Amino acid sequence: MTNLPPKHIAIVMDGNGRWAKQIGLSRLEGHRAGVDAAQDIVDYCVEIGIPYLTLFAFSSENWKRPKEEVVGLMNLMREYLSKDSSKLVEKGIRVRTIGSLEKLPKLLQSTIQSLCEKTKDCKRLNLTVALAYGSRAEIAEAVKHVSSDVLAGKVALSDISENLVGNYLQTRELPDPDLFIRTGGEKRLSNFLLWQLSYTELCMTDKYWPDFNRNDLKSAIADYQNRERRFGQSS
Ligand code: FPP
């Protein structure tokens, strides 16, 4: 039994801090190495024709980290997202973001806005970066919007379905992920895409994110292709 390659891969890039610590570097240097790893995985997805990739870059809980680390991470994101805009267009990468963007520094917000605009016609890879993202907050926000549309008479109670709710989520333009990868040894979802991952195949690896490379992704995809996806039905 062989599945087609995944259309959408979602990744929790965990372990930058531990990777840095084990070789005597600062956490921020770990995150910098994490950005390099992310860049190569993005390029690889373009090369092998994966149409959707979603990366968890900063969670709503990450704000609780020491200020220096948060500021460093924000600067890193801005560096990555501004430096590469023409290269991203050349490679056909459309960038989107999900999360509470209004909580990000203004400069990062405008960098993101301009990058999303510049890459909006790109068609090879849909890259979604989750920033200040939390799945429960996303769902709560969707509930608020559905309720307000019900109150305004735009939606009838009987119209509320899984499909309708999905269309109120920030991921409305994306298919559900087929393959979820988490590096760094933990075996949890950490408030990432809880609705969207309902039937996703999970792949956890002990490797720290900066060490995760093309071969690791290739193996995860091969493992995914050998699984039987039943979506709740019998085989
Ligand atoms: C988890 O490692 C990683 C993060 C909180 C940040 C991830 C961000 C990047 C790799 C940058 C990617 C950026 C873009 C724009 C694609 P951790 O700090 O929790 O590591 P630890 O669990 O070892 O402490």
Side-chain angles (χ1 to χ4, degrees):
M1 134 118 244
T2 312
N3 296 314
L4 291 171
K7 249 182 96 173
H8 184 177
I9 301 176
I11 309 183
V12 172
M13 308 176 288
D14 199 11
N16 295 341
R18 282 164 288 162
W19 177 88
K21 192 172 174 197
Q22 72 182 0
I23 51 172
L25 297 177
S26 69
R27 291 184 62 81
L28 208 54
E29 286 168 304
H31 293 313
R32 196 170 277 283
V35 173
D36 292 342
Q39 260 175 305
D40 198 49
I41 290 299
V42 168
D43 286 345
Y44 186 57
C45 285
V46 172
E47 282 170 33
I48 62 174
I50 301 289
Y52 293 89
L53 175 67
T54 299
L55 300 176
F56 202 2
F58 193 84
S59 77
S60 44
E61 288 73 29
N62 288 155
W63 293 114
K64 296 178 201 137
R65 293 190 174 197
K67 191 166 173 228
E68 190 189 304
E69 185 176 348
V70 172
V71 171
L73 264 170
M74 294 297 146
N75 289 337
L76 255 186
M77 311 285 182
R78 193 162 52 81
E79 214 178 282
Y80 170 71
L81 296 168
S82 48
K83 136 181 131 186
D84 267 348
S85 75
S86 51
K87 268 203 214 142
L88 289 169
V89 173
E90 225 169 84
K91 293 174 186 168
I93 302 173
R94 175 171 183 179
V95 180
R96 292 181 178 84
T97 57
I98 52 173
S100 303
L101 295 193
E102 72 287 353
K103 295 193 179 139
L104 299 173
K106 288 274 177 304
L107 207 50
L108 179 55
Q109 287 185 36
S110 53
T111 303
I112 289 170
Q113 231 170 15
S114 113
L115 185 59
C116 294
E117 179 58 31
K118 278 188 197 142
T119 60
K120 72 177 187 326
D121 296 323
C122 295
K123 300 226 174 333
R124 283 185 80 180
L125 173 68
N126 291 277
L127 171 64
T128 303
V129 184
L131 278 169
Y133 175 82
S135 187
R136 287 182 172 184
E138 179 194 25
I139 293 170
E141 201 54 37
V143 170
K144 218 188 281 176
H145 282 153
V146 174
S147 309
S148 101
D149 282 354
V150 169
L151 287 174
K154 294 186 203 156
V155 169
L157 266 189
S158 56
D159 288 339
I160 298 178
S161 62
E162 292 182 14
N163 197 32
L164 180 134
V165 174
N167 282 325
Y168 279 79
L169 296 173
Q170 292 189 12
T171 50
R172 68 185 72 83
E173 293 174 4
L174 316 175
D176 286 342
D178 301 296
L179 173 61
F180 166 90
I181 297 172
R182 180 177 187 135
T183 59
E186 314 293 355
K187 295 181 173 58
R188 52 178 171 256
L189 298 181
S190 298
N191 201 15
F192 186 45
L193 302 174
L194 301 179
W195 173 280
Q196 298 86 343
L197 292 174
S198 295
Y199 283 102
T200 302
E201 295 296 326
L202 308 182
C203 172
M204 318 295 195
T205 163
D206 287 339
K207 272 208 173 180
Y208 296 142
W209 174 250
D211 287 332
F212 188 86
N213 59 34
R214 293 169 173 233
N215 271 336
D216 298 312
L217 182 57
K218 198 171 161 189
S219 308
I221 293 172
D223 178 13
Y224 162 87
Q225 292 195 268
N226 280 319
R227 297 199 195 172
E228 189 188 2
R229 302 191 75 193
R230 289 197 296 273
F231 299 96
Q233 295 168 23
S234 52
S235 48

